[in-house]
Amino acid sequence: MYTPNMADIQRIALINDPVLRNVLITQSYYELSQIIMSRTGAVANWCTFATWASKQAGQSIRKEDLQRTLEARVDIGLLKEFQALIAIAAEMGIGAGLSARLHMLVKNSLLGRIVDRTAEAVARGNKKVFEEIGFQFARFITSCFDHAEPDLPGCESFCREMRDGDPPDGQQYLKSAFTNYYMAFFEHDEQLRLEKLLLANLLIGFHEQTRLQPEILDSLNAAFTGKDAFRKEVIDFLFPPGSWRTQVRLLYLKATGKASRLEAAIDRLTTELQHIVRKQITACLMTLSLPHERLLLSKDLQRTYPRELSKLSCKDLVELMTRIDTTPDSLKESGTEDWGDLTDRMHFITELFRCYQFDEQLHLSAFESVQVAAMKRGEVPTGRL
């Protein structure tokens, strides 16, 4: 198994193609996860979960999930706001065949722009987390991984290179997380060892999600941008700037106040579409496909805690749980109502990490060997990603 080093992480983070960058990030998480498990045994680490989260992000980055969802669930022509706009335009004597042409404009311009913005926000977050946390995992493996006996000064030296303070600016959670990973390597109390690994996963998850807050909000709110630009596009479509006749008609409509009716109809259509699309973006971002199941993050997890983690005793872990688990020792209300809410999001992630810590299906490779070979050559793999 290849071990990504610090130079690999930096090189991948600098790739401009977001699709190629994403598949390499996903593969690197898988490789890092496997290396960490060579010391911890078959226990999921943060990189294990990150593999599948990054693979899921790839669908948004490639514009697959949202594009498919919008095409399947948003029928523009049936919206009363669209029909009202067509009716107002017809009253103004604007040509036949308008409905089909305007439908295509809405799909390619407004909806296309929203899909693009969502993909860009998800890609930024994917890169941001990898170049910080992936780099620290690679550095940890280089600095601390091969110790046969505990070397606390060596671990402390590794941690000193990270920033003090809480996220989003500080890296104190990462320092604590890697210290717990390190101590788990040498812990003889099996119960305490497993709890330290869970604690490390959660600390990194808390840091990651705090850092990702701006990108998550940007992706969720991608629908609520570009309203003025779209209004202008529709006006230019109805009254082409190069045609003096249509421009004279537009000036007349403005002088008589009739143009405001048209602009108001455009805005009503835009607002309705934005709300519909926001729901679909949320649905896509709140889905996580694992090798053996598809989780809807809005639903409570349908699992039980592993026996080893049903009761927690590690002081630091219990203390962290009081901050991030809003329904202690229960999966009730683990589903997330608002993915943009950090507290709500962390509650789900906490339960996910706890329930799936020993799920061996998560250890599977995210890609086929031929796909891995292609991406290592700098090519976007073919086939289902």
Side-chain angles (χ1 to χ4, degrees):
M1 174 64 65
Y2 181 75
T3 305
N5 57 40
M6 291 177 280
D8 291 325
I9 306 299
Q10 292 172 322
R11 174 183 56 79
I12 291 169
L14 290 173
I15 292 173
N16 288 325
D17 181 347
V19 175
L20 176 60
R21 186 176 66 226
N22 166 257
V23 293
L24 284 166
I25 286 173
T26 304
Q27 177 63 19
S28 296
Y29 280 142
Y30 168 72
E31 292 165 349
L32 290 167
S33 170
Q34 295 296 304
I35 297 301
I36 296 296
M37 282 193 288
S38 71
R39 285 296 303 260
T40 65
V43 181
N45 53 73
W46 180 86
C47 290
T48 315
F49 294 104
T51 300
W52 301 104
S54 181
K55 186 177 176 71
Q56 184 72 46
Q59 290 196 37
S60 296
I61 291 168
R62 294 189 300 275
K63 308 174 188 178
E64 295 172 351
D65 52 359
L66 184 56
Q67 191 75 54
R68 285 195 300 262
T69 300
L70 292 179
E71 289 176 359
R73 300 186 181 180
V74 181
D75 193 330
I76 300 165
L78 293 180
L79 295 177
K80 67 179 185 299
E81 291 82 5
F82 181 81
Q83 295 171 356
L85 174 57
I86 293 295
I88 291 172
E91 288 176 19
M92 297 177 175
I94 299 172
L98 174 64
S99 180
R101 290 183 292 126
L102 186 56
H103 186 289
M104 191 59 63
L105 175 67
V106 173
K107 177 182 176 182
N108 293 339
S109 179
L110 180 63
L111 298 188
R113 193 157 48 225
I114 290 170
V115 171
D116 288 345
R117 288 197 179 104
T118 303
E120 288 165 7
V122 173
R124 284 200 314 274
N126 190 230
K127 174 181 183 291
K128 179 181 185 177
V129 169
F130 179 70
E131 64 184 347
E132 180 189 15
I133 300 177
F135 181 83
Q136 295 302 338
F137 267 99
R139 196 169 69 84
F140 177 66
I141 291 168
T142 299
S143 303
C144 304
F145 202 70
D146 293 331
H147 296 178
E149 298 292 335
D151 177 8
L152 287 180
C155 183
E156 290 169 359
S157 176
F158 163 79
C159 289
R160 275 197 296 272
E161 294 189 34
M162 289 183 277
R163 297 184 298 276
D164 292 332
D166 292 343
D169 299 319
Q171 295 177 309
Q172 190 61 47
Y173 291 177
L174 296 186
K175 290 186 181 188
S176 298
F178 283 106
T179 299
N180 277 282
Y181 278 137
Y182 186 76
M183 296 306 296
F185 291 169
F186 308 101
E187 181 57 62
H188 296 296
D189 183 324
E190 180 64 2
Q191 180 65 32
L192 187 56
R193 184 182 81 88
L194 295 174
E195 291 190 34
K196 283 183 177 291
L197 292 174
L198 175 58
L199 174 59
N201 292 344
L202 290 173
L203 285 165
I204 296 182
F206 202 175
H207 176 92
E208 167 210 18
Q209 292 301 315
T210 305
R211 292 273 288 140
L212 276 178
Q213 186 68 6
E215 286 74 24
I216 289 172
L217 291 178
D218 282 351
S219 60
L220 286 171
N221 294 326
F224 296 106
T225 56
K227 191 170 187 175
D228 292 342
F230 181 67
R231 186 193 308 118
K232 183 179 185 306
E233 281 187 72
V234 176
I235 294 295
D236 287 346
F237 168 74
L238 298 174
F239 303 95
S243 168
W244 67 268
R245 285 191 176 87
T246 58
Q247 288 300 298
V248 168
R249 184 187 297 175
L250 178 59
L251 289 173
Y252 169 75
L253 293 172
K254 286 182 177 179
T256 59
K258 293 182 179 179
S260 61
R261 283 184 63 216
L262 183 65
E263 291 175 350
I266 296 169
D267 288 349
R268 284 193 294 272
L269 172 63
T270 306
T271 298
E272 178 62 18
L273 282 170
Q274 285 174 328
H275 284 288
I276 291 172
V277 173
R278 173 60 153 77
K279 291 179 182 178
Q280 302 308 324
I281 292 173
T282 301
C284 290
L285 294 180
M286 291 178 63
T287 300
L288 178 61
S289 295
L290 302 177
H292 54 318
E293 61 184 310
R294 184 169 176 265
L295 298 178
L296 299 179
L297 281 52
S298 60
K299 305 294 184 183
D300 290 357
L301 287 171
Q302 300 301 305
R303 285 229 171 180
T304 56
Y305 296 130
R307 176 182 52 80
E308 300 89 338
L309 299 176
S310 60
K311 295 294 181 183
L312 305 176
S313 56
C314 174
K315 178 178 176 294
D316 291 342
L317 176 57
V318 170
E319 192 174 284
L320 179 63
M321 283 292 196
T322 62
R323 297 173 55 198
I324 60 179
D325 187 355
T326 55
T327 56
D329 294 327
S330 169
L331 293 174
K332 183 181 179 182
E333 298 178 11
S334 56
T336 304
E337 291 185 6
D338 181 3
W339 195 242
D341 184 294
L342 175 60
T343 300
D344 204 12
R345 197 164 68 243
M346 270 311 300
H347 182 206
F348 179 88
I349 291 169
T350 298
E351 304 293 16
L352 176 73
F353 283 11
R354 188 175 178 181
C355 285
Y356 286 75
Q357 181 155 322
F358 307 112
D359 191 324
E360 294 187 358
Q361 293 293 316
L362 301 185
H363 307 166
L364 297 174
S365 175
F367 301 110
E368 297 176 3
S369 57
V370 291
Q371 293 177 317
V372 174
M375 68 178 75
K376 298 281 188 178
R377 294 194 302 268
E379 304 168 7
V380 174
T382 57
R384 185 174 182 178
L385 297 176

